[in-house]
Amino acid sequence: MKILKFGGTSVGSVNNIQTLLNILKGEYKQGNRPIVVLSAMSGVTNLLISMAEDAAAGSDFTAQLAELEKRHFDVVKTLLDIQNQNPAYTRLKIHFNQLEELLQGVLSLRELTPKTRDQIVSYGERCSTLMISKIAAQHFKESFFVDASELIKTDSAFGQAKVNIDLTELLIQGFYEENSDKLLFVTGFIAGNDAGQITTLGRGGSDYTAAIFGSALNASEIEIWTDVNGMMTADPRMVKKAFPLEELSYTEAMELSYFGAKVIYPPTMIPAFLKKIPIVIKNTFEPSFAGTVIRHDCKASNLPIKGISSINNISILNLEGSGMVGKSGFSGRLFSLLAREQINIILITQSSSEHSITFAVQPAEVEKAKLLIEQEFELELLANKLEPLVVEKDQAILAVVGENMKQTPGMSGKLFHALGRNGVNVRAIAQGSSEYNISVIISATDLSKALNAVHDAFFIELTKTLHAFCLGTGNIGRTLFNQLNAHRDFLQKNNGIQVKIAGISNTRKMVFNADGLPLDSWEDELQQSMHTADLQEFITKMKEMNLPNCVFIDNTASPKPITFYEEVFKSNISVVTCNKIGNSASYSQYKTFRDTARKHGVDFFYETNVGAGLPIIRTLKDLMSSGDRVQRIEAILSGTISFIFNHFKGDANFHDVVKEAQEKGYTEPDPRDDLSGKDFMRKMLILARDAGYEMEEADVQIENILPQACLDAQTVDDFYAALKSEDAFFANIKDQAGADKKVLRYIGKLEDGKASITLQMVDENHPFYMLSGSDNIISFTTDRYKERPLVVKGPGAGAEVTAAGVFADLINVGA
């Protein structure tokens, strides 16, 4: 025999009630005749409370009463045959008349006692259960309405009555023996005291009713039918990746429920827990889904935790002072005081030195608690043995729960790493010795970000989401978006990563979307945006969105974004950039960026600063972090200069090769910007700094490869004319190299703390001899790679390879 409990949404409309009836028909087909426990229609309990409070305040309640009556009568009119409607109308009308009399009495007295309040709210369950039992009788002749107040007996603590379990079980067992041939529809939530007065069972009362009946009758299982697919790994309203759990232990379910999971309420489970009766959470609107089973004998799980629960709004009080240290009975005095005044403590943590106690309460109770404590400990406060009580509002609790936590090392580390990396400050921590639960108090404004970050960290079978904010929509930015769009499925399947572009800005407009901008139509979104581009506002909006795993991507060549890097790091946001201006400016700025990123636990990736898509920076860092020592670095890090000298051979003249390079788009509009070696110098400077040298721009010696007349030319055309006139100069260099069977290479070198860029002639024994096209190349001579240097070679320029380098940096964030 099973107990089926249906919540407010399950009985809240005509369609939902029809679904409920179909579920019962399915049970009958399987040979089952369950006991059905029903809640009030969704929203009705709140409406009844509002009517009662309005009446106590002297306000009119008749419109609300008419609304309540109409809602029930409309269901009867729709679902009951005409010949069966009048008996249902009559019984419901009696209830509504009684309700009106009660409310009229409250209005006359301007007083709402707990006893009267219980009686008023009881009409929600009484009306819904009566109505549905009448509708069900058309399909199940043996349907029978049961008023639980006659069977569940409690004390007279109205609003939160305590059940007399022994008497209640006897009454339920006796009643069932007489009516076992009937389909019983039982009112949830309500009970009665010895005087026959209506009491209520408090929050989750209908679930509790189901558990009481299940325990009394030793049911095979208790099914709680609601509007979700079971207990979820996190609040699905805040964590879109949350998924239903197949099963939970009683302990896990109670821990999750205590810390905010609304699907089930902890006291509900106690009768089932004692009798080891499984509780199944099912979805009325997807009845074929298995739901979540809560049982005492869960099978082994490969999940380190079962769920992440949260309480969205709490306040904390912190009491500290020397007068607490070694003072026996201090805690008992404090918490006995609060218990006497019915102030519920949600969480407690105490320092091992006994110098401070921090505890959390509901915001509505914080001022009362503060006043009581100040009165109780007035003498200690006056004697400065206690510091003034500190109250912090707008806080939240996040709790990770699971029995496997006690068997899995590193659970706390994973939790705090996920929070710290995303800039979530922890105000207090509580963990029981059973290790079923680790709870932290954080700012309420950080709760959504924290839940998503922790969920990503613990549930490794899910994709990790990176939220990227991108500056620049030129060749590199545009190509990056195309690559991300093309490889979206591959990233999720093979890397377990999902990239959402949450913000885009160019020099004209900017656009934001926390759920991710569509990468196949981002240009339209940006064009239609009403936000004019403003770099400071872009940074501010990125911070305000407060998303987990944020990355700021700078795909510009402008100095303006650089001024915001430090602010971005301090907001616990990683930076990926192909803009080399920041790292090649002053050494103090370079160091500040690294120190700030390290201090705030975020990443600063800039692989494309040196070799576009080539793994040069990463290779250097790997060598150094593994204990190798760099003796010498040699490099050609200009695709433009590489092309020019790779083609300056045979009958070619320097003027024509430079002209061809410009026509192919390899050079800047003025080729001297490349041939001056300025860009090459920046790359060598970044390499030198990453190799551990405190070096400034002036420390890099550059050999000028252009004659002075070419440098002094006023226009580009004048430059080419001067270059033409210097043909003999360049031909002499080329011929000299050819005579020695060597080639010309413009090479940067770092050795013994000195950096230089010079034009060299190299023979076939040099690793740069066979360089072709516009490729870049770099060789690392280290203690380990001494006889044969480690060489990295490949395309060093172009939107595709540069965007690919940014792409690689992005997916390595947080790895």
Side-chain angles (χ1 to χ4, degrees):
M1 191 269 292
K2 295 196 294 188
I3 309 293
L4 273 59
K5 177 264 175 178
F6 291 91
T9 51
S10 299
V11 299
S13 69
V14 167
N15 289 338
N16 297 355
I17 293 170
Q18 287 174 326
T19 302
L20 182 157
L21 294 173
N22 289 333
I23 291 169
L24 292 179
K25 289 175 184 177
E27 290 291 334
Y28 263 63
K29 285 181 181 178
Q30 296 176 32
N32 299 327
R33 182 178 290 165
I35 291 177
V36 182
V37 176
L38 299 172
S39 295
M41 297 178 77
S42 56
V44 165
T45 300
N46 287 338
L47 182 62
L48 288 166
I49 292 171
S50 175
M51 291 163 63
E53 290 175 348
D54 286 349
S59 300
D60 182 51
F61 56 83
T62 53
Q64 293 167 298
L65 182 60
E67 176 192 339
L68 183 68
E69 185 174 316
K70 181 179 183 301
R71 188 172 173 188
H72 287 79
F73 282 6
D74 284 349
V75 171
V76 170
K77 184 178 179 181
T78 305
L79 293 180
L80 268 175
D81 295 338
I82 293 176
Q83 65 270 25
N84 296 326
Q85 289 179 7
N86 279 338
Y89 285 144
T90 300
R91 291 283 302 275
L92 286 172
K93 191 62 180 175
I94 291 171
H95 283 324
F96 292 131
N97 288 342
Q98 292 170 344
L99 176 60
E100 184 176 15
E101 289 176 7
L102 278 170
L103 291 168
Q104 198 62 52
V106 172
L107 179 66
S108 299
L109 295 172
R110 298 291 197 275
E111 181 183 25
L112 179 62
T113 64
K115 180 170 74 172
T116 304
R117 183 189 182 98
D118 271 6
Q119 194 166 356
I120 288 170
V121 297
S122 74
Y123 282 97
E125 274 71 18
R126 292 156 86 179
C127 288
S128 69
T129 307
L130 172 67
M131 178 180 69
I132 291 172
S133 69
K134 294 293 185 185
I135 294 167
Q138 295 183 138
H139 307 276
F140 314 101
K141 298 300 183 183
E142 64 274 24
S143 296
F144 189 75
F145 169 76
V146 180
D147 186 340
S149 67
E150 297 174 3
L151 301 176
I152 299 178
K153 292 303 175 183
T154 70
D155 62 13
S156 297
F158 297 101
Q160 191 75 51
K162 184 178 179 181
V163 178
N164 181 334
I165 292 294
D166 293 337
L167 175 59
T168 295
E169 291 200 347
L170 284 173
L171 290 171
I172 291 173
Q173 289 163 0
F175 179 83
Y176 185 71
E177 284 177 12
E178 295 176 3
N179 297 281
S180 59
D181 59 335
K182 298 183 176 65
L183 176 60
L184 304 179
F185 288 85
V186 182
T187 56
F189 182 53
I190 67 174
N193 62 13
D194 292 338
Q197 298 166 324
I198 294 290
T199 60
T200 59
L201 302 176
R203 178 186 155 197
S206 292
D207 291 350
Y208 195 17
T209 302
I212 290 168
F213 268 78
S215 175
L217 300 174
N218 291 309
S220 59
E221 69 178 34
I222 299 164
E223 292 181 358
I224 307 295
W225 289 82
T226 180
D227 55 359
V228 292
N229 282 335
M231 295 279 276
M232 308 289 281
T233 51
D235 186 341
R237 294 169 298 179
M238 286 191 275
V239 182
K240 293 186 178 179
K241 294 182 189 175
F243 58 90
L245 293 158
E246 183 180 340
E247 64 176 13
L248 292 166
S249 70
Y250 290 115
T251 304
E252 289 169 334
M254 291 186 76
E255 291 279 1
L256 284 170
S257 300
Y258 180 78
F259 284 97
K262 303 295 192 296
V263 176
I264 200 166
Y265 185 54
T268 301
M269 287 176 275
I270 294 173
F273 179 88
L274 295 173
K275 294 283 184 72
K276 296 183 178 179
I277 300 170
I279 299 173
V280 186
I281 312 297
K282 300 273 284 181
N283 189 345
T284 305
F285 312 109
E286 198 175 335
S288 61
F289 192 83
T292 301
V293 181
I294 303 169
R295 53 162 56 102
H296 76 284
D297 55 346
C298 283
K299 62 179 180 287
S301 170
N302 59 354
L303 297 174
I305 66 169
K306 286 293 182 69
I308 307 160
S309 198
S310 57
I311 301 177
N312 296 7
N313 188 17
I314 54 114
S315 296
I316 59 175
L317 297 95
N318 189 54
L319 191 62
E320 61 180 74
S322 58
M324 296 166 59
V325 179
K327 187 78 170 179
S328 60
F330 185 91
S331 297
R333 183 179 164 197
L334 170 64
F335 295 117
S336 295
L337 165 71
L338 298 174
R340 284 197 305 271
E341 298 297 327
Q342 301 294 306
I343 294 175
N344 183 43
I345 307 298
I346 301 168
L347 179 148
I348 304 167
T349 181
Q350 182 174 14
S351 65
S352 56
S353 66
E354 301 183 18
H355 189 262
S356 67
I357 295 176
T358 300
F359 58 96
V361 299
Q362 293 292 344
E365 297 180 327
V366 67
E367 294 302 330
K368 180 181 178 182
K370 181 175 183 292
L371 181 62
L372 288 169
I373 292 168
E374 287 173 342
Q375 291 174 345
E376 176 71 19
F377 298 99
E378 183 180 7
L379 294 178
E380 288 88 341
L381 287 164
L382 288 173
N384 294 322
K385 290 184 177 181
L386 290 178
E387 300 294 325
L389 189 67
V390 176
V391 174
E392 294 183 47
K393 299 181 180 180
D394 300 319
Q395 303 293 303
I397 294 177
L398 180 151
V400 293
V401 173
E403 290 187 348
N404 273 1
M405 287 168 57
K406 61 183 177 182
Q407 302 164 2
T408 310
M411 290 293 98
S412 297
K414 186 176 287 190
L415 169 64
F416 295 117
H417 176 74
L419 295 173
R421 184 174 177 82
N422 284 280
V424 178
N425 185 42
V426 175
R427 286 291 298 109
I429 305 162
Q431 179 178 13
S433 58
S434 65
E435 296 187 55
Y436 287 138
N437 176 321
I438 305 174
S439 304
V440 295
I441 296 177
I442 61 176
S443 170
T445 57
D446 286 332
L447 182 59
S448 178
K449 177 170 72 170
L451 282 169
N452 281 277
V454 173
H455 198 270
D456 269 5
F458 278 100
F459 295 105
I460 57 174
E461 70 275 14
L462 299 178
T463 54
K464 175 183 178 180
T465 300
L466 297 174
H467 294 93
F469 293 81
C470 302
L471 286 184
T473 58
N475 286 338
I476 297 172
R478 184 183 305 275
T479 306
L480 174 64
F481 295 150
N482 291 338
Q483 291 177 353
L484 286 169
N485 195 33
H487 294 87
R488 178 178 53 204
D489 295 339
F490 177 87
L491 273 180
Q492 291 195 11
K493 182 179 179 180
N494 294 278
N495 297 71
I497 292 174
Q498 178 186 32
V499 177
K500 290 185 177 181
I501 304 300
I504 299 174
S505 179
N506 56 23
T507 56
R508 299 174 299 282
K509 290 191 172 184
M510 58 187 184
V511 64
F512 303 91
N513 187 336
D515 293 325
L517 292 159
L519 289 176
D520 51 1
S521 60
W522 65 268
E523 289 180 273
D524 293 336
E525 297 275 341
L526 186 61
Q527 183 63 33
Q528 294 166 14
S529 174
M530 303 302 292
H531 296 286
T532 303
D534 182 304
L535 190 50
Q536 176 64 73
E537 188 180 336
F538 186 83
I539 302 296
T540 301
K541 179 67 174 177
M542 175 177 67
K543 291 160 59 178
E544 288 175 350
M545 289 171 74
N546 206 23
L547 297 170
N549 305 317
C550 264
V551 188
F552 176 70
I553 302 177
D554 179 7
N555 283 326
T556 74
S558 167
K560 293 180 181 178
I562 309 298
T563 60
F564 291 95
Y565 282 11
E566 189 175 354
E567 179 183 345
V568 171
F569 290 134
K570 288 180 177 178
S571 302
N572 291 88
I573 297 172
S574 295
V575 173
V576 169
T577 180
C578 61
N579 186 343
K580 60 180 75 71
I581 295 174
N583 282 323
S584 60
S586 68
Y587 179 81
S588 62
Q589 177 175 282
Y590 166 91
K591 188 173 185 301
T592 296
F593 288 164
R594 262 139 211 80
D595 291 347
T596 309
R598 190 181 303 111
K599 178 180 178 182
H600 291 272
V602 293
D603 293 314
F604 182 30
F605 292 150
Y606 47 90
E607 185 66 72
T608 50
N609 278 194
V610 174
L614 296 180
I616 292 174
I617 297 292
R618 189 165 293 112
T619 300
L620 175 59
K621 289 186 175 180
D622 287 347
L623 288 170
M624 297 183 66
S625 62
S626 66
D628 204 353
R629 186 178 68 86
V630 176
Q631 297 179 5
R632 182 173 63 257
I633 295 175
E634 290 183 290
I636 295 174
L637 297 173
S638 168
T640 303
I641 295 176
S642 179
F643 177 87
I644 289 170
F645 284 107
N646 286 336
H647 288 77
F648 184 44
K649 56 188 176 182
D651 296 332
N653 66 67
F654 198 71
H655 169 277
D656 292 345
V657 173
V658 174
K659 193 75 172 175
E660 182 185 359
Q662 185 178 31
E663 289 169 355
K664 287 182 177 292
Y666 289 133
T667 74
E668 296 294 331
D670 187 338
R672 286 173 293 184
D673 292 341
D674 298 291
L675 293 167
S676 68
K678 179 81 170 179
D679 185 64
F680 196 167
M681 178 276 298
R682 286 176 173 162
K683 296 177 180 180
M684 288 302 299
L685 182 60
I686 294 168
L687 273 176
R689 288 172 171 176
D690 277 4
Y693 297 103
E694 295 184 16
M695 197 173 286
E696 300 290 354
E697 179 179 327
D699 297 325
V700 183
Q701 303 300 313
I702 304 176
E703 178 185 348
N704 198 340
I705 59 177
L706 293 174
Q708 194 62 40
C710 297
L711 294 172
D712 293 341
Q714 295 299 307
T715 65
V716 173
D717 289 340
D718 291 344
F719 159 72
Y720 275 114
L723 197 60
K724 187 71 174 175
S725 67
E726 297 288 349
D727 271 350
F729 170 78
F730 289 105
N732 180 54
I733 299 172
K734 180 185 66 173
D735 293 343
Q736 183 182 343
D740 294 337
K741 295 183 179 181
K742 295 180 178 180
V743 292
L744 294 170
R745 298 288 182 257
Y746 196 46
I747 299 173
K749 185 167 79 168
L750 175 67
E751 188 172 20
D752 297 330
K754 296 180 180 178
S756 62
I757 303 171
T758 58
L759 185 62
Q760 300 179 29
M761 299 179 190
V762 301
D763 60 22
E764 60 185 6
N765 295 316
H766 197 285
F768 296 177
Y769 180 82
M770 296 300 294
L771 194 66
S772 61
S774 60
D775 282 358
N776 283 0
I777 190 168
I778 185 167
S779 73
F780 297 96
T781 302
T782 72
D783 288 350
R784 294 177 190 156
Y785 296 91
K786 191 171 185 179
E787 300 301 325
R788 298 179 64 190
L790 173 62
V791 176
V792 179
K793 174 187 172 185
E800 285 290 338
V801 293
T802 304
V806 175
F807 192 147
D809 277 349
L810 173 60
I811 64 174
N812 277 297
V813 168

